[in-house]
Amino acid sequence: MLTKANDMWYSEYHDYDVKFSTEITEVFLQEQTPFQYLQMLKSDTFGTFMTLDGYIQLTEMDEFVYHDMISHPALAVNPSIKRVLIIGGGDGGTAREVARYKHISKLDMVEIDGAVVDACIKYMPTTSSVLTNEPRLNLIIGDGLAFVRDAPDNSYDLILVDSTDPFGPGEDLFTVEFYKNCSRVLSEDGILINQHEGAFYEGDVLQMKKAHTKIKEVFTIARVYGFNIPTYASGYWYFGFASKKYDPISDLKADKWAEFGLDTKYYNTELHKGAFALPNYVKKILESV
Ligand code: SAM
């Protein structure tokens, strides 16, 4: 029987009895940072990928999906956004997409773990080059919760919470206190995009319910949209779209967004409408909170 020479695999649990695995061709880095366990690995299919505390954060192969969908929907609803705050996002993928809007004047990014930035600059240039070559980017190594707590009122038009899941350093980014401070820091037509987890496996559903309960308490408009990403649990993941003023569908400005002339690999304004059209079982989960 043919066996592979290396036969080395990376595996992670997507549920207590469900694993996702990919064969590894290279191990670039494995280190315990002051915040989390960081791995930079490589597979034939997914290319170079980063894991934190045993969960894939991004891969060269499918990061375009996640970074398109965290960045572009808000700019298609409010094309006048000028001041953006990214929380987390140490790999640079979200900053890369936001920096493609030349009219954006302020781009602050607060990443708690400098080791993530260093590792991605070294091993993941497809997402991280913006971290060293974008003059508008103000990269702060610090805790997003404290940063937002101390930020002045009305200092941003868009906050993108590109964090890890709600445990470890990311846990504090899923609290009512955090969302209340985001609302205070956002302008009257501000938009918050946050991690809304998954709707298939029980543990992810619990996190989705928790996030939605808290966001609905703070924002008048709290919608959820999904996207297909092979390396996340069940291959389908969700973001939250929260706003004081704009509805992501009725206020979509598809023509204005088209004028930016961005060539995106995943996002378009037709898909935008579909992403917010949720399956009945997901609607039921969100209506139950
Ligand atoms: N999931 C994204 C993707 O698929 O491309 C990548 C997420 S990014 C790597 C998540 C980042 O959030 C990590 O680098 C982590 O260090 C950061 N983070 C977690 N908690 C944070 C906090 N409280 N403040 C700032 N950054 C935080």
Side-chain angles (χ1 to χ4, degrees):
M1 182 181 75
L2 179 70
T3 54
K4 297 239 176 176
N6 66 354
D7 217 20
M8 184 168 65
W9 290 72
Y10 166 83
S11 295
E12 68 179 51
Y13 282 100
H14 281 181
D15 205 345
Y16 70 93
D17 61 349
V18 177
K19 266 192 174 179
F20 171 88
S21 300
T22 180
E23 188 166 5
I24 299 296
T25 54
E26 281 192 75
V27 177
F28 295 119
L29 171 75
Q30 298 194 109
E31 72 167 289
Q32 180 61 50
T33 81
F35 298 96
Q36 49 214 338
Y37 185 63
L38 165 60
Q39 293 173 295
M40 295 300 287
L41 307 170
K42 186 167 187 175
S43 93
D44 276 351
T45 300
F46 294 107
T48 302
F49 64 95
M50 175 172 78
T51 80
L52 292 173
D53 284 340
Y55 288 96
I56 287 179
Q57 296 297 306
L58 76 159
T59 81
E60 276 181 324
M61 183 227 198
D62 65 3
E63 58 86 5
F64 72 94
V65 176
Y66 179 98
H67 294 122
D68 267 21
M69 292 305 276
I70 196 171
S71 312
H72 302 305
L75 271 300
V77 172
N78 179 8
S80 314
I81 284 169
K82 285 191 179 54
R83 305 168 301 163
V84 181
L85 171 62
I86 299 169
I87 292 176
D91 53 271
T94 301
R96 177 194 68 201
E97 289 307 307
V98 173
R100 296 176 71 186
Y101 294 87
K102 295 309 167 205
H103 71 288
I104 283 178
S105 53
K106 183 180 180 185
L107 178 50
D108 293 345
M109 180 171 145
V110 184
E111 163 57 58
I112 202 166
D113 195 345
V116 168
V117 173
D118 296 343
C120 290
I121 287 172
K122 189 166 180 189
Y123 298 109
M124 188 80 77
T126 45
T127 60
S128 64
S129 50
V130 68
L131 301 179
T132 51
N133 68 15
E134 171 50 58
R136 289 170 294 171
L137 180 64
N138 171 29
L139 173 56
I140 299 146
I141 300 301
D143 180 355
L145 181 76
F147 183 86
V148 165
R149 190 179 54 226
D150 302 341
D153 296 4
N154 183 18
S155 42
Y156 294 99
D157 309 311
L158 175 61
I159 298 178
L160 302 173
V161 184
D162 182 12
S163 69
T164 38
D165 294 321
F167 53 78
E171 193 166 357
D172 291 342
L173 302 179
F174 288 75
T175 62
V176 172
E177 180 217 1
F178 173 70
Y179 295 130
K180 279 185 175 164
N181 274 317
C182 286
S183 178
R184 175 184 59 76
V185 161
L186 280 168
S187 53
E188 271 320 297
D189 54 4
I191 294 171
L192 167 78
I193 304 293
N194 74 292
Q195 304 292 323
H196 233 74
E197 304 299 295
F200 215 75
Y201 297 121
E202 206 177 318
D204 297 332
V205 172
L206 191 62
Q207 295 305 339
M208 176 180 268
K209 286 181 174 176
K210 280 184 182 172
H212 203 59
T213 306
K214 293 167 186 169
I215 291 185
K216 270 176 62 172
E217 199 180 309
V218 178
F219 286 87
T220 37
I221 297 164
R223 299 283 300 273
V224 175
Y225 61 105
F227 51 96
N228 165 225
I229 183 157
T231 52
Y232 278 27
S234 80
Y236 207 80
W237 211 242
Y238 294 84
F239 283 129
F241 176 109
S243 167
K244 304 174 191 174
K245 175 178 171 185
Y246 292 122
D247 177 89
I249 299 299
S250 52
D251 292 310
L252 171 62
K253 297 172 186 64
D255 294 343
K256 282 292 275 174
W257 188 79
E259 287 170 21
F260 288 124
L262 296 183
D263 176 17
T264 44
K265 194 171 173 186
Y266 187 87
Y267 179 79
N268 63 61
T269 48
E270 283 310 300
L271 175 120
H272 176 115
K273 294 174 206 163
F276 282 92
L278 301 173
N280 289 345
Y281 83 99
V282 179
K283 290 165 79 171
K284 282 200 175 76
I285 290 169
L286 297 172
E287 284 157 9
S288 71
V289 297

